Amino acid sequence: MTAIIVTGGKQYKVSEGDTLFIEKLPVEAGDNVTFDQVLAIVDGEKATFGAPVVEGAKVEASVMKNGKGKKIRVLKYKPKRGYKRTQGHRQPYTKVTVSKIIAG
């Protein structure tokens, strides 16, 4: 069984046991989180699509850890003007493992 969920403004196709790196959630490691916005559920040949979400469907997951991604360097440069700026960014994430998909 697979499902398509929405979290952090992005859509993810998940199955039971999958590990995802999603936008940071305000939860601690070891907690459980429930995703209510399920756009579709596919179970073999049977598919259920929501308009916009499937009623009563949920995806339960457990939080493994919160962290930061690899550093990205941003460089701004204008030739012949002596202008050069560097900036770094590390995107925060939450690592979750899908434990159960509940069809509505």
Side-chain angles (χ1 to χ4, degrees):
M1 180 182 293
T2 62
I4 298 175
I5 62 170
V6 176
T7 180
K10 299 177 181 74
Q11 298 178 3
Y12 298 92
K13 181 179 178 183
V14 297
S15 299
E16 291 183 7
D18 284 355
T19 301
L20 300 170
F21 292 91
I22 61 174
E23 294 293 319
K24 185 177 178 189
L25 298 174
V27 292
E28 297 296 322
D31 292 347
N32 290 330
V33 65
T34 303
F35 301 107
D36 298 358
Q37 289 187 311
V38 180
L39 301 179
I41 294 179
V42 179
D43 189 11
E45 295 295 319
K46 183 182 172 194
T48 307
F49 299 98
V53 295
V54 178
E55 294 297 323
K58 293 188 277 187
V59 174
E60 294 179 354
S62 60
V63 177
M64 305 305 286
K65 72 173 193 171
N66 290 316
K68 289 185 178 181
K70 289 193 163 205
K71 182 171 277 197
I72 297 172
R73 297 277 183 185
V74 179
L75 177 68
K76 295 181 181 181
Y77 175 75
K78 294 186 181 176
K80 302 180 189 132
R81 288 179 180 81
Y83 176 82
K84 182 167 58 169
R85 299 284 181 269
T86 56
Q87 182 180 5
H89 176 74
R90 293 181 69 189
Q91 184 70 26
Y93 68 84
T94 300
K95 181 179 177 183
V96 297
T97 302
V98 177
S99 57
K100 193 184 331 182
I101 298 174
I102 302 169

